[in-house]
Structure formats: structure tokens, C-alpha cells
Amino acid sequence: MIKYPCMWGAAISAGQCEGGSHKGNKGYSIGDTQPNERERCFKRYPLPDEHTYYAMQKGVEFYEYYEEDIQLLKELGVQCFRMSIAWSRIFPHGDDEEPNEEGLAFYDRIFDLLVQGGIEPIVTLSHLEIPYALFEKYDGWENKHWIDAYTRYAKICFSRYSDRVHLWITFNEINMALYLPLSVGVGVDRSEHKEECCWQAVHNMLVANAKAIQLAKAINARNEVGAMIAYSPVYPMTCQPEDVLKADEIRSNALTIADVLVHGAYSDIALNRFEKAGIDLKMSEEEQILLSKQRVDFLATSYYNSIVASSDDAAAKASGNLFGGVKNPYLTESEWGWTIDPLGIRICLKELYDRYNLPLMIVENGLGAIDEVIDGQIHDEYRIAYLREHINEVLKAIDEGINLKAYTMWSFLDLVSASSGEMKKRYGLVYVDLDDEGKGTLKRIPKDSFKWYQKFLKKQRI
Ligand code: BG6
């Protein structure tokens, strides 16, 4: 019987947690400039003004609380911790002459604490945290200049931390560039051919990923590098062939990206699709060789919800991570309208493993919900149910022979929601006393789900 070991852990990201946007010489990131309004991911904003509250500038002050937070992480008993480095803390303008030593030293302290605590760091280099100055100066990721800027940043991180960090994720959800481009530094608002601009940005990220893999291996042969997509199984609404075709079309964006990461080239179907859509990617022969040679060691994905595809444009729409499809009459939804589908996580793993036969990581999976503090406690049985049911399916997938290298639930701490900037959409095992206006004591309170996951993690270590 084939059964691979899986590391169990939790995740956060720098942009949504750290705060301290004015501390330690950090530069502004795009997130720091997005006010907490609905359209925040779909607009380009000017530099922050003094009168508006920007949730990501404060995060949940992980920058100040990291010692206390890592102590809680140890108490939780995780084997691994997925986190990210803020690019704008290392290079405040994205491509400064010299890296910012204060920023580098901050992550030194974090990695030291993790390693001393027996926790394996899984580090994402770019997770929704893009230097604002770079975005203003050189358009966005559609500009090849970004490949060099990112590569310099990646090289500094590998050189400095490879003695303690061996598992790297180059990019969070690369397909986000197609759905929320302005949030990840794609200058789609200034482009005449928006689809081409987004795919050019994706292509440049894929080249940057390949360059980073090359560097990471050269710096330390122990380094393993993966990249991440957001993946959801897409179910056809009916067995009508049109619905099945629609499901295939929706799935294809994520898979086009993963194909390049894993197989080192775009599929013929993807290339034809680009041509028909008038997308003329700037892609040199040298880049194609690089992509074919430098492939990921593992593929990471987030999983929040499944999607239903319908060829009927009038079908009722659902929400979800990146995009939602239409409503699934067989499943319930979160308070934010995201479908809850535990079996979907197993289907997601099976589909990806069948197609790529490469180690996988689930680096985000969790429930955004409103929590209530009652007598100083948070009884989040809904989050426990979500996690229990999803993890049960993950265990079944592992039993089926899928090589899942790591599972890190989202999120360890309550943090600022990426799509809405809200604090009240809470994912954490640990409650943070902070509201949507930035008011609160920042006190950390482990929720009931913390205790539940702690018990589960203990059993995994036996
Ligand atoms: C993923 C992102 O897309 O979804 C996370 O990688 C994000 O950063 C998560 O927090 C949940 O989305 P939201 O918008 O509810 O925070």
C-alpha cells in the first residue's frame, strides 16, 4: 500500500498580518494603499491619505506580536507553518540598490524561532504583497522589468534564509493575476487589451518562477521550490454537454498555468486559445528553454469551495475564492456565499495528482465567518465542522495514494480579508481583538477550533 507522509500546519500571509507598514523602513505595498471598500481589488489607488483607515497597514500587528504568536503556534503543535515575506520590507521600492537590513533581520528572528520550535517554515515569496513604488514606476507584471526585480528579491531571500528555510513557494495563486489583476501588480487598467495584459503578466511570473527555481537550487541543493494556483473542482450544472464544456473552460485557466509549472510548456490547446483571442505573448526562445528546464518540485493550491458551471447565463450566481460560478443546490454556503464542499477538496487533490503525478500541498483551506466573543471565549463549532469534514476527506485522499506533502489550514490568526479588507470575516484558530475600523486591544484568544486542531495534530505525531 502506498501512503506518503503529510506535514500538518497552519498559514498566514505577511500583507494580511504583519502591519507595521511604517516600521523598519518598509515601503508601501499595493495592499497598504487599498481602503476597505468593496471595489478595493478592482481599482488602482493613489498613495494613502491621512484620514482613511487602511486595514493592511495595521494587519493584526504580527510585526510586533510575532514572539507571542509563534509561542501560540508551538502550543498548537504544528509541524509546519506557511507564511510569506513582504517584498516591500526587503526592497521598499521593489528594486532598490541595497536590501533593507532591518527587514531581513525581522525574518531572521522569525525563522530562528520557528526552527528552534521544531516547526518547518514554508515560505511564499510573493503573496498579495507587491511594492507600490515598482507598480507606479514600471507598469505591472506585464513589464519584463519585473522579472529582474523579483529575481533579485528572490536571490536575497534564498541567500539569507536557506540555512533555515528549505520549502519555498514562489507565488501565491498565480491565476489571481487573471481575476484580481490590480491586487497582484498587473497594470490592467492602463492596458488596451486586458486579457493579453493579464496573460503576459502570468507568463512573466512563470519565467520569474523558473529563474527563482534555478537560483534556489544553486544556492542550496536542499531547497525545494513550488508554486501555487487556486484550484477548485468545477462541476457541470447538468449532464448537458454544453455545461460540461463550460466546466472545462472554467477549469482551463488554472490548468494552463499548472501545465507550465509542471510540464514546462504551454499546451497546444492553450496556445491556440491565445491566438484566437488575439493574445500575442512576448515569449523568447530563451524563456521557453528556461521554463522547460526549471520545473516545480511540488504544486501548491488553495481550496475553499467547488464551482458549478452552467451554460445558462440566467442561473443564480454564487461567490467564491477568485470567482464563484453558479449556485450548487446540494450544498450549503458560508456567510459570504462561498460554497462549502468537503468532498471537493478530495476531488481537487485527485484531479491534480492524476494530471501531474507530482507532490502536492494544500496551503490554504478554511472558513471565513463572523465570530462572537462570549465570556472571553469563542465557540466556533462551525469552523470545527468545516475543518473536520475537509480534513477527513484529505485523509481519505492520502489513503488513496496521493502524495500530499503538507496541509496548512487558513488561517492560524484572524487576519485582514484579502478580497474585502474586513476583519469581521475571520478565518483564524486564534481570535484577534480588532474590528473593521482598526479598534481593539489586539489581544490573542485561542478559539475552540484551536483546541480541536491541537488534538488532531497531537494524534498525527503519534
Ligand atoms: C486566497 C488568498 O485567495 O483566499 C488569501 O491567497 C485569502 O490571501 C484567502 O485571504 C481568502 O480570501 P478572503 O478574500 O476571504 O480573505
Side-chain angles (χ1 to χ4, degrees), residues 13 16 127-128 172-173 176 228 304 321-322 338 364 410 415-420 425 427:
S13 82
Q16 293 167 273
H127 187 154
L128 278 173
N172 184 66
E173 299 179 337
M176 200 183 268
M228 181 185 169
Y304 289 93
N321 186 27
L322 300 197
W338 295 22
E364 283 181 37
W410 188 259
L415 36 71
V416 179
S417 156
S419 56
S420 67
K425 187 181 189 187
Y427 284 92

Side-chain angles (χ1 to χ4, degrees), residues 208-309:
N209 166 74
K211 288 197 169 183
I213 297 175
Q214 197 171 32
L215 279 169
K217 306 279 178 186
I219 288 168
N220 188 329
R222 264 190 77 185
N223 277 332
E224 288 180 54
V225 188
M228 181 185 169
I229 52 167
Y231 191 73
S232 301
V234 188
Y235 311 142
M237 184 70 191
T238 69
C239 50
Q240 243 190 324
E242 285 78 5
D243 285 355
V244 178
L245 190 67
K246 181 82 183 174
D248 187 62
E249 280 165 15
I250 294 179
R251 214 180 278 122
S252 69
N253 280 345
L255 294 178
T256 293
I257 294 168
D259 283 351
V260 181
L261 293 168
V262 181
H263 298 317
Y266 293 93
S267 69
D268 291 346
I269 293 181
L271 291 172
N272 277 0
R273 197 153 56 92
F274 291 156
E275 200 177 320
K276 284 186 189 145
I279 297 171
D280 182 17
L281 288 190
K282 291 188 194 71
M283 167 168 38
S284 68
E285 205 179 316
E286 197 190 332
E287 286 178 354
Q288 289 179 52
I289 295 169
L290 187 77
L291 291 177
S292 73
K293 287 195 176 153
Q294 305 299 335
R295 309 192 198 174
V296 289
D297 295 309
F298 59 88
L299 182 65
T301 181
S302 53
Y303 174 81
Y304 289 93
N305 56 275
S306 55
I307 288 170
V308 176

